[in-house]
Amino acid sequence: MIARPEGGPRVVVGVDDSAGARCALSWAIGEARLRRLPLLVVHAAPLPPHVSAAGQLGCGITEALRGSGAELIAGLLTEVCDGPPDGVRMTALALVGEPGATLVRLAGDDDILVVGHGTRGPFSRLLRPSVRLHCARRARATLVCVRPPAFDTLLEHLTARDEEPEHVPGSRFRRLGRRLRLPL
């Protein structure tokens, strides 16, 4: 368990390389700023099945997974808020383990646990279980699931920024979004 400053609550956010994780990280940074809580950014990479089956834990795989997790966290922080967030005490952890179990273990009773809401199909869920559902079933902390914005919402924000008359809600960009129905 990671030591908490002053023993109080904190915001714990689980990240990976997905749109939902980017939105969850952004929301968690804002919540930590608003409530003046420390932020714990966690990336947990599952150990590949062939490594755990062969018992090859000493061959540098765990260090490589931690290193790639640290690079991922640094890249996400740069993408979301141009580096470490201002005005927030932040700790970043890159761990090896099942993501859902790791997040549940790290988040205490008085913490806020933030995860992204992904859009995966049933076959993908068979191969890799849902971290969000695991946390919802087992976490003692307050759980917040952040859904990435829909394609139509993104188009509304893009068209609202431009004041020209051809960019109204019924514009060709809006119709394209309705026709495509692309999940982000």
Side-chain angles (χ1 to χ4, degrees):
M1 172 96 39
I2 304 302
R4 300 174 195 199
E6 298 106 35
R10 61 192 172 171
V11 178
V12 179
V13 59
V15 297
D16 61 3
D17 192 20
S18 68
R22 284 174 180 78
C23 293
L25 178 61
S26 178
W27 191 91
I29 290 170
E31 191 69 14
R33 259 193 208 124
L34 180 70
R35 296 180 185 259
R36 300 176 200 262
L37 295 175
L39 175 67
L40 177 61
V41 181
V42 180
H43 172 74
L47 199 60
H50 67 279
V51 173
S52 59
Q56 301 173 345
L57 293 179
C59 65
I61 301 241
T62 57
E63 290 82 16
L65 287 172
R66 283 190 193 117
S68 66
E71 289 175 11
L72 177 85
I73 291 172
L76 285 174
L77 286 170
T78 301
E79 185 179 326
V80 169
C81 61
D82 293 329
D86 296 329
V88 176
R89 291 176 295 167
M90 188 195 79
T91 306
L93 285 178
L95 303 172
V96 176
E98 289 301 317
T102 302
L103 290 172
V104 167
R105 189 176 67 243
L106 286 174
D109 292 337
D110 54 348
D111 291 338
I112 299 172
L113 177 59
V114 183
V115 294
H117 187 288
T119 55
R120 297 187 309 162
F123 184 69
S124 175
R125 294 216 187 275
L126 283 175
L127 297 176
R128 199 178 61 186
S130 171
V131 174
R132 176 183 58 88
L133 292 177
H134 183 89
C135 292
R137 290 181 184 131
R138 293 178 178 85
R140 297 180 318 268
T142 302
L143 179 66
V144 177
C145 298
V146 181
R147 185 181 289 267
F151 191 65
D152 287 342
T153 307
L154 286 175
L155 286 176
E156 286 176 15
H157 287 292
L158 289 175
T159 57
R161 288 184 190 164
D162 200 353
E163 314 280 71
E164 296 177 17
E166 66 264 12
H167 292 289
V168 293
S171 73
R172 61 185 169 138
F173 296 110
R174 176 82 173 170
R175 288 190 306 267
L176 176 67
R178 283 192 194 125
R179 197 172 340 128
L180 292 178
R181 291 287 181 213
L182 296 175
L184 294 177

